[in-house]
Amino acid sequence: MQMKKLSLANLPTRIGKLERLSQELGCSIYIKRDDQTGSEWSGNKIRKLEFSVQEALQQGADLLITTGGIQSNHCRATVAVAAHYGMKSAVLLRISEQPPVEGNYFLDLLMGADVKFCTREEYSTSRNEIMAAMAEEYRSRGYHPYIIPEGASNGVGTLGYYNAFHEILDQERELGIRFDTIVLATGSGGTAAGLNLANILGGHGRRIVAMAVCDDVKYFQDHCHRISIEALPYLVEQGEISQSEADRCAAALKPEDFEINDGYVGIGYAQSRPEELDHIKHIARLEGVVLDPVYTGKASYGLWNELREGGSLRGAGNILFIHTGGLYGLFPVSKSFIF
Ligand SMILES: *Cc1c(COP(=O)(O)O)cnc(C)c1O
């Protein structure tokens, strides 16, 4: 059944085989191009925004407020969607020093976002309070704000990748392939939560491995568990599941149902080790596929390592790697590459 959502992303996104990488590692690796969901709103966030911004419009909002790091793909996609609907946008960006105008931050400014900065400390302790205060201020000026949390990773946003999982099942039927294992990057948890929720509710039995780009296993398991539970009422409202199915799932779902690998965080969020940059270069040359340094580069590096002799993904069957986007975030680190 079709879910009710905005229709913004170019869907379905293509799936293709990574022939030379598969040969190199002696296994079967496919890639789903969620980096090609669009241009201005490219990447995974648009799938979630199709649901969250639908809710914003339903509530009569004329301003989207959201938050992320200075090079946030999510903020850039939100700013693009706001402009598309003639809405205003305001983004709270985490910085450590005065940032150069480049990459996603440049696009935020280009597409007319109001920008407010905060420190790492403020971001981790009080970003939601700061956004609430921003909303209050805009309200006093006559706006109707709608706040989207970090990464649109809440109950309603989780529907984006619940839906994407079903898109993958449809593509399996067309291609005549079963993807036994799905590998992706996880940062704010909504992508991993949505995929896992669809897998569990439908009893599809796939292995979904979320490679953390920050924090640790426990953080992501608790977070994915929480937002999956929050997504259940939305699935009932969409007619995807019944109330009793939602109740049963809420009672049975456990944090340990979400497989997280935190072995590839490296030196921290948006910080690259030389071996990660070398891996991005390797895949670019081997396959003509460009990964980003913050998310997909780390996740693919994790996949590559776990597929080598004795790794945890040896024998994982047909693997589907989801390219979740992030290209604009590569340009600000171009000087870190050695040629
Ligand atoms: C946000 C993001 C992710 C992580 O998705 P979450 O749903 O936040 O976990 C992965 N890749 C890219 C390029 C992203 O921008």
Side-chain angles (χ1 to χ4, degrees):
M1 197 172 60
Q2 284 284 337
M3 291 175 86
K4 210 169 131 323
K5 63 172 186 66
L6 301 175
S7 179
L8 297 172
N10 289 319
L11 301 180
T13 55
R14 270 166 192 268
I15 291 179
K17 188 164 187 189
L18 294 172
E19 295 285 357
R20 280 160 303 283
L21 183 64
S22 298
Q23 211 165 34
E24 179 179 275
L25 294 166
C27 52
S28 201
I29 309 173
Y30 294 78
I31 187 167
K32 183 163 174 65
R33 302 303 302 263
D34 275 18
D35 55 323
Q36 298 176 356
T37 49
S39 173
E40 294 82 2
W41 51 57
S42 65
N44 62 337
K45 301 308 181 309
I46 190 62
R47 287 191 187 264
K48 312 182 202 185
L49 292 169
E50 286 188 335
F51 288 94
S52 19
V53 178
Q54 171 175 261
E55 184 174 86
L57 291 169
Q58 259 167 16
Q59 295 177 7
D62 56 10
L63 161 66
L64 299 177
I65 299 177
T66 196
T67 191
I70 183 69
Q71 283 299 330
S72 167
N73 300 303
H74 163 69
C75 287
R76 179 255 309 150
T78 303
V79 171
V81 173
H84 175 75
Y85 285 108
M87 302 166 97
K88 191 176 176 60
S89 61
V91 290
L92 176 66
L93 299 176
R94 180 189 59 223
I95 58 167
S96 42
E97 58 202 37
Q98 191 58 36
V101 177
E102 60 189 0
N104 286 302
Y105 171 47
F106 164 67
L107 293 172
D108 294 343
L109 295 176
L110 190 70
M111 294 185 283
D114 281 0
V115 173
K116 185 178 169 69
F117 293 127
C118 67
T119 64
R120 285 181 177 276
E121 170 76 18
E122 288 166 331
Y123 188 87
S124 66
T125 62
S126 48
R127 63 177 177 272
N128 292 329
E129 289 74 11
I130 299 172
M131 285 197 290
M134 288 165 71
E136 220 23 72
E137 211 268 312
Y138 282 108
R139 233 176 254 121
S140 73
R141 288 159 51 190
Y143 283 102
H144 300 283
Y146 178 92
I147 298 175
I148 302 172
E150 176 191 64
S153 288
N154 58 359
V156 65
T158 294
L159 268 53
Y161 273 85
Y162 170 92
N163 204 38
F165 186 89
H166 292 104
E167 180 179 302
I168 293 169
L169 294 183
D170 288 343
Q171 289 176 300
E172 282 188 334
R173 282 187 283 274
E174 275 165 38
L175 297 165
I177 304 167
R178 176 189 158 98
F179 299 114
D180 307 289
T181 305
I182 299 173
V183 177
L184 68 144
T186 186
S188 67
T191 304
L195 292 169
N196 276 286
L197 191 56
N199 186 40
I200 292 166
L201 280 168
H204 297 290
R206 309 310 165 89
R207 181 173 176 198
I208 299 170
V209 182
M211 299 284 183
V213 303
C214 52
D215 298 293
D216 59 16
V217 170
K218 172 136 180 45
Y219 168 83
F220 278 110
Q221 286 185 329
D222 289 344
H223 187 64
C224 289
H225 178 252
R226 187 170 63 249
I227 59 180
S228 295
I229 302 270
E230 280 173 27
L232 293 170
Y234 289 95
L235 289 175
V236 173
E237 192 186 304
Q238 287 267 358
E240 287 289 307
I241 55 171
S242 67
Q243 186 59 52
S244 61
E245 279 176 286
D247 293 342
R248 241 180 292 132
C249 178
L253 200 63
K254 298 183 301 297
E256 305 78 62
D257 293 335
F258 300 84
E259 182 176 349
I260 310 290
N261 183 325
D262 63 2
Y264 297 93
V265 176
I267 55 174
Y269 180 78
Q271 313 271 328
S272 299
R273 293 178 289 171
E275 53 267 46
E276 294 166 19
L277 299 177
D278 282 348
H279 178 75
I280 291 174
K281 191 161 88 180
H282 178 61
I283 299 299
R285 293 171 179 207
L286 190 67
E287 292 285 354
V289 170
V290 179
L291 302 167
D292 84 291
V294 182
Y295 298 97
T296 55
K298 289 192 183 201
S300 174
Y301 180 62
L303 171 64
W304 190 75
N305 266 288
E306 296 299 333
L307 278 170
R308 290 189 310 174
E309 210 72 49
S312 69
L313 287 170
R314 281 309 293 180
N318 290 323
I319 295 171
L320 182 65
F321 177 75
I322 305 187
H323 190 332
T324 41
L327 181 60
Y328 299 122
L330 186 61
F331 296 99
V333 301
S334 62
K335 289 188 183 63
S336 310
F337 283 84
I338 297 160
F339 298 107

